[in-house]
Amino acid sequence: MTGDGTAFRFWCTLAGFLHGIPIVNRPPYSTYLKLVAVALFWGGTFIAGRLVAQQIPHMIAAALRFAVACALLLPLAWKLEGGLPKLTRSQMQATFALGATGIFLYNICFFSALERMPAGRTALFVALNPIVTALALAALFGERLGARRWAGIALAFTGAAIVITRGDLAGALHDISQSVGRGELFMLCAVCAWAAYTIIGKHALKGLSPIAATTYAALWGLLLLSCGALLELPQFHWQQLGWQTGAALIYLGAFGTVIGFIWYYEGVKAIGPARTAVFNNLVPVFGISLGALLLGEPVLWSMLVGGLLVIAGVSLTNR
């Protein structure tokens, strides 16, 4: 399957996707363009992460990513909100938990998965985030899942199984090690870490703005990653940090973290969280397309079929 065919299918999917979004109170079209750009940035993080993961140790890579992010977030918080608020004891515990799960653990698993798997295949796992989050909320907080949401969860996991096993479900039943390697396990752990980050942010944070919470989480995560990076310093030589790796790290910190965050929350404010969250379904589409176009990665039929089933299941669950 060629990159040109993949790009054509992508633009057809994107056109149909945007055509089906209901517009309430007609917010500026720039809002929708920014949300598509956010999905593009986040899809691009898998390409940049793939380049970085193959060049430098993972905790050093993640620490450098969030050093860039914090260098941008701190002045931004000062400009927009007059600085960071003083934390209460519970807020300190909550932001530390955010940093430990969504920054520290997620990024270790993210880079470890990208070292072992193609970027496009890795990006497809992101589509499982809302499903894993919904299941965790049901198990931990007793949130009720109706028949429609259970059907969406089943559909999404069927799609994920097709992606993970490369379409060979029967072969996986006989020998699961042929389909699920360390890369897949790391990315499943990353999905669980992000689900924990989402739940903590929903239930534990009170009195903090999104930018304040994210900045504190990034600072905690940077502290934890820096401690781990010290252990990896003997494996690292600054010659490994060529211009391509450096550019990828700046992209991850600036576009994949800071700009993506700001524009995403602009979308939440303009059209609401439910409609904004729908744009997350474009992340694996961009991830697969960019992986094919920029890295020459093959696009398997199992990725297309399984990815569409995952996106359909997520859409059904979030209705």
Side-chain angles (χ1 to χ4, degrees), residues 1 4 7 10 15 25 48 51 55 57 62 72 77-78 125-126 183 231 233 243 245 254 257 259 263 274 308 311 318:
M1 190 169 295
D4 292 339
F10 160 70
N25 297 328
L51 294 174
Q55 296 297 322
L72 296 173
W78 183 266
F125 282 74
V126 173
L231 302 175
L233 280 178
W243 74 266
T245 307
T257 305
I259 296 175
W263 286 2
L308 287 173
I311 291 172
N318 288 337

Side-chain angles (χ1 to χ4, degrees), residues 17 27 32 58 88 91 97 107 125 137 159 171-172 174 187 247 280 292 315:
F17 173 83
Y32 296 100
H58 304 147
T88 65
Q91 287 173 338
N107 277 274
F125 282 74
L137 287 169
H174 290 292
M187 202 56 207
N280 288 334
S315 299

Side-chain angles (χ1 to χ4, degrees), residues 42-43 45-47 49-50 106 109-129 163-164 166 183-184 186-188 190-191 283-284 287-288 291 297 303:
W42 287 347
T45 61
F46 291 89
I47 312 304
R50 175 78 170 163
Y106 176 85
C109 295
F110 171 80
F111 283 113
S112 297
L114 281 168
E115 183 186 13
R116 296 166 173 84
M117 292 201 305
R121 178 172 166 81
T122 308
L124 281 169
F125 282 74
V126 173
L128 285 175
N129 281 333
V163 172
I164 291 170
R166 298 175 178 83
E184 286 80 5
F186 274 121
M187 202 56 207
L188 288 173
V191 169
V283 174
I288 292 172
E297 295 179 352
M303 292 169 61

